[in-house]
Amino acid sequence: MTVRRAVLTTLLLFTASGAMADMPPPEPAGYRTADYRAPVPATVNGRPALTTEQAAALWRQGGAVFIDTLPQPPRPQGLPEDTVWHPRPRNDIPGSIWLPDTGYGELPAVIAGYFERNLREATAGDKDRKLVFYCLASCWMSWNAAKRAASLGYARVDWYADGTDGWAVRDLPLERREPVPRPGE
């Protein structure tokens, strides 16, 4: 009986630890400032992340501004002017705006201003306009940006945690996107 109990206890502990490993991390109080490609929480600002079906329904209805926060590396410093440099192309949810570098945990003042200005422009100053933030699956950039938009007073902020990865898996349309120019570009 004791051997059987020990085996069952070990099996239960092993199963429980495996199940816990599959659970999303809890929502932190502040912004994520490192390891941006890692498992993400199931919520932002206490609101559940949108599923692909929910995000696609909002997109089809035209009921939200979709905002991509995936970073884009700038032209390498010191690269001779006559050197051809092609930034990596980005395929995005159609109609989105791409605000690179706005999902870091800490933003320089110039990027924070860029984020605020472009949100104001995208919503025509209407802080009740629905916003959907995304980037890639398991990426904290869009989580941070959604949290930041809510802190700026935007009342209807959603987060699509699966981003363009989840969108592409469902064979939903994507289109080539250029980022909104950052200050100094």
Side-chain angles (χ1 to χ4, degrees):
M1 188 69 130
T2 55
V3 172
R4 182 175 178 202
R5 182 173 286 166
V7 168
L8 286 174
T9 301
T10 303
L11 184 59
L12 279 172
L13 288 174
F14 180 76
T15 303
S17 68
M20 289 179 72
D22 291 339
M23 291 179 60
E27 185 175 326
Y31 297 106
R32 177 76 170 226
T33 59
D35 300 322
Y36 294 106
R37 290 302 304 269
V40 294
T43 59
V44 65
N45 299 315
R47 292 177 51 96
L50 296 175
T51 65
T52 299
E53 293 77 18
Q54 291 167 326
L58 283 171
W59 174 74
R60 286 184 189 105
Q61 296 164 0
V65 177
F66 279 72
I67 301 168
D68 183 3
T69 62
L70 186 72
Q72 182 193 39
R75 181 181 175 91
Q77 289 186 347
L79 192 66
E81 287 299 318
D82 60 348
T83 302
V84 176
W85 178 73
H86 296 285
R88 186 176 180 169
R90 175 74 172 139
N91 290 321
D92 241 336
I93 296 171
S96 298
I97 63 171
W98 182 14
L99 301 178
D101 302 331
T102 59
Y104 289 106
E106 296 175 10
L107 296 183
V110 68
I111 297 298
Y114 163 83
F115 182 67
E116 290 180 43
R117 195 171 39 260
N118 281 287
L119 288 184
R120 194 170 41 252
E121 185 176 310
T123 62
D126 180 2
K127 289 197 172 184
D128 285 327
R129 181 83 193 270
K130 184 174 269 304
L131 301 172
V132 176
F133 289 89
Y134 70 93
C135 55
L136 303 172
S138 297
C139 180
W140 284 82
M141 294 285 181
S142 53
W143 188 92
N144 281 341
K147 185 174 186 72
R148 185 169 285 116
S151 77
L152 294 171
Y154 289 89
R156 299 178 62 211
V157 176
D158 278 314
W159 172 49
Y160 175 41
D162 290 337
T164 51
D165 294 332
W167 198 264
V169 165
R170 290 315 229 4
D171 289 325
L172 292 163
L174 293 166
E175 66 183 14
R176 185 66 49 96
R177 176 82 52 239
E178 292 296 322
V180 174
R182 291 166 286 195
E185 289 184 330

